[in-house]
Amino acid sequence: MKLSRALEQQIAVFGEAGSGKTVLLSSFYGATQEPQYRQENVFHVVADDIGQGSRLHRNYLGMRDSSRVPVPTKFAAESYSFSVKLKEGAKAKAFKTKPFDALRLVWHDYPGEWFEQGVSGPTEAQHRVDAFRSLLGSDVAFLLVDAQRLLDNAGEEERYLKSLMANFHNGLLSLKDDLLEDGKPIVDFPRIWVMALSKADLLPDMDVFKFRDLLIEKACDDIDALRKVLAELVDGSEALSVGEDFVLFSSARFNGGGIEVNKRIGIELIQPLAAMLPFERHAKWAQAKQLPRKVAENLLDGVGVLAAALTGRKLDIPGRIGQLVNLVGPNVLSGAVNLAGDKVREMNADAMAKQEYLSATLTRFRMDLDQAEEDGVLLRSRR
């Protein structure tokens, strides 16, 4: 996490061509522009690039009003930045004692074609490397499993899943020499790789536990092979989680030629996952005290201030953030990581009553993740 006046989380989305990445992104942004969303939240989601935001909103409106699916992009590696900004009324109590006053989500879309087929020449090969380097700051990576492809291979799902994992594995392996400078593993690297079922509406009887079980039964060895190639790229492979978290995504319900954009699954979890999953996992890894110093410092960048904001603690912190213990202390960190149930609901209500909107937003994110687990949409690793 990188800190300025906005605390930035980055995600990388990987999926083969046709797996629904463009629809997923359009549904995510378009839903945040609906009047109901704005009424229910104390913040706005704003596209930092107006042109990108307009195109995504147009895609969403095309689905909502004309049942028109966005045209898939090909070989287009693009990053999208969204700022989560407090509404004007919520800014009445300014964050004078807070180290940041906004969240930013950066979404990296990596072309599926580069995992499925070879590049056409040295220019495209360099574009592929540059595109991957641009997402190395990501905290979370989502690997999309296409529900339509599972249906197409019903009874023999392993054929699709093995091919999918092999494409990811081989694609990453082909980038290894270009990514590692002098053969040294990378410190700044996505460390949480979530398995995500896209187009989940096509499999209405599959909850997140059945999704997990399907992957373990049909592609356990292939996921382990992917984990091993990722471990070869990253410094401090002890701080690496691959195929331990699972989530269901559906951008809309596609029904008889119509598209019901209000029938989404898991889309509202993208922001909470981007903010809270790295915070939880990085803090646990750092507390284990088994990581190389440089890796530990990298993971702690932003964790302390997020713990303080989550718990409503006021800090006067000059300069660059990074020294976790000096900022909030191990007890505050542990308490923030382990918040759950009635306690987090009480903190959310208290933060709203006191107009501590940053704490209210973060505790709401935590509540959303807890509810998603109860609903069978999300399964987080407990490691």
Side-chain angles (χ1 to χ4, degrees):
M1 301 179 200
K2 295 175 175 58
L3 188 69
S4 57
R5 286 307 300 171
L7 186 66
E8 181 177 287
Q9 294 92 29
Q10 300 187 39
I11 63 171
V13 182
F14 298 102
E16 293 183 318
S19 60
K21 296 193 302 298
T22 301
V23 178
L24 185 69
L25 177 57
S26 301
S27 180
F28 160 75
Y29 180 68
T32 66
Q33 305 307 299
E34 291 281 22
Q36 182 177 357
Y37 185 94
R38 290 170 170 250
Q39 293 167 6
E40 293 176 351
N41 293 280
V42 297
F43 55 83
H44 297 297
V45 177
V46 180
D48 294 334
D49 184 307
I50 296 175
Q52 283 184 338
S54 295
R55 287 189 292 273
L56 293 175
H57 199 190
R58 179 186 62 194
N59 288 345
Y60 175 81
L61 295 175
M63 290 191 291
R64 189 192 70 181
D65 300 335
S66 305
S67 298
R68 184 176 63 248
V69 178
V71 177
T73 57
K74 292 186 177 181
F75 295 102
E78 196 162 3
S79 296
Y80 302 81
S81 179
F82 307 98
S83 291
V84 181
K85 296 184 176 181
L86 291 172
K87 295 178 180 178
E88 290 302 318
K91 292 179 181 177
K93 293 188 69 173
F95 296 120
K96 295 177 181 178
T97 58
K98 300 293 184 182
F100 63 96
D101 53 21
L103 299 170
R104 178 171 294 119
L105 173 66
V106 180
W107 177 307
H108 300 281
D109 189 351
Y110 193 82
E113 291 85 358
W114 282 341
F115 281 129
E116 299 172 67
Q117 54 192 268
V119 294
S120 60
T123 299
E124 187 178 331
Q126 188 59 50
H127 286 165
R128 182 178 64 167
V129 173
D130 292 342
F132 199 90
R133 281 181 177 151
S134 73
L135 58 78
L136 288 180
S138 298
D139 302 296
V140 179
F142 293 103
L143 301 183
L144 300 188
V145 177
D146 189 340
Q148 182 62 62
R149 297 290 301 277
L150 290 176
L151 282 173
D152 293 342
N153 292 273
E156 298 180 307
E157 293 90 352
E158 65 273 13
R159 295 176 56 187
Y160 162 59
L161 292 172
K162 287 179 178 294
S163 172
L164 176 69
M165 297 304 159
N167 284 340
F168 285 142
H169 174 279
N170 295 334
L172 290 167
L173 201 60
S174 69
L175 293 169
K176 181 179 178 180
D177 291 340
D178 293 305
L179 293 174
L180 302 186
E181 295 184 9
D182 300 324
K184 296 180 180 178
I186 304 168
V187 173
D188 201 11
F189 190 83
R191 294 177 180 271
I192 304 170
W193 294 69
V194 180
M195 309 304 298
L197 179 66
S198 67
K199 308 176 188 175
D201 57 294
L202 297 177
L203 296 169
D205 295 329
M206 180 171 286
D207 64 13
V208 74
F209 294 99
K210 292 180 181 178
F211 176 51
R212 177 202 61 184
D213 293 350
L214 177 68
L215 293 182
I216 291 175
E217 180 186 359
K218 304 287 188 177
C220 178
D221 293 339
D222 306 278
I223 294 174
D224 189 52
L226 176 62
R227 183 182 298 112
K228 288 177 179 176
V229 74
L230 286 166
E232 294 175 4
L233 295 172
V234 63
D235 189 11
S237 58
E238 302 91 339
L240 182 66
S241 174
V242 181
E244 299 178 35
D245 303 274
F246 305 85
V247 68
L248 309 183
F249 286 146
S250 175
S251 304
R253 180 182 293 171
F254 295 78
N255 185 16
I259 303 177
E260 298 176 84
V261 295
N262 62 330
K263 303 293 185 181
R264 298 180 297 274
I265 301 172
I267 305 301
E268 71 284 355
L269 299 178
I270 291 173
Q271 282 178 286
L273 284 170
M276 304 310 299
L277 199 59
F279 162 68
E280 296 171 358
R281 205 65 47 83
H282 292 183
K284 288 181 179 179
W285 288 334
Q287 286 178 314
K289 298 180 181 178
Q290 297 176 338
L291 303 176
R293 181 176 178 180
K294 186 179 292 187
V295 174
E297 290 178 351
N298 187 63
L299 294 181
L300 295 183
D301 192 21
V303 168
V305 290
L306 193 54
L310 179 64
T311 56
R313 192 179 168 97
K314 292 179 172 60
L315 298 172
D316 185 11
I317 306 170
R320 181 173 173 78
I321 304 305
Q323 298 301 317
L324 173 65
V325 176
N326 292 337
L327 285 178
V328 294
N331 292 334
V332 174
L333 177 67
S334 179
V337 170
N338 295 310
L339 282 175
D342 292 339
K343 180 61 177 177
V344 73
R345 285 189 287 272
E346 289 173 8
M347 291 181 64
N348 178 260
D350 184 60
M352 287 296 293
K354 294 179 178 178
Q355 296 186 322
E356 290 285 351
Y357 292 110
L358 184 56
S359 297
T361 297
L362 294 174
T363 49
R364 171 64 183 271
F365 282 175
R366 191 60 171 271
M367 291 164 59
D368 289 344
L369 297 183
D370 291 344
Q371 186 62 50
E373 288 201 304
E374 290 185 23
D375 294 340
V377 174
L378 172 67
L379 181 58
R380 286 175 286 181
S381 170
R382 299 307 177 190
R383 184 174 70 90

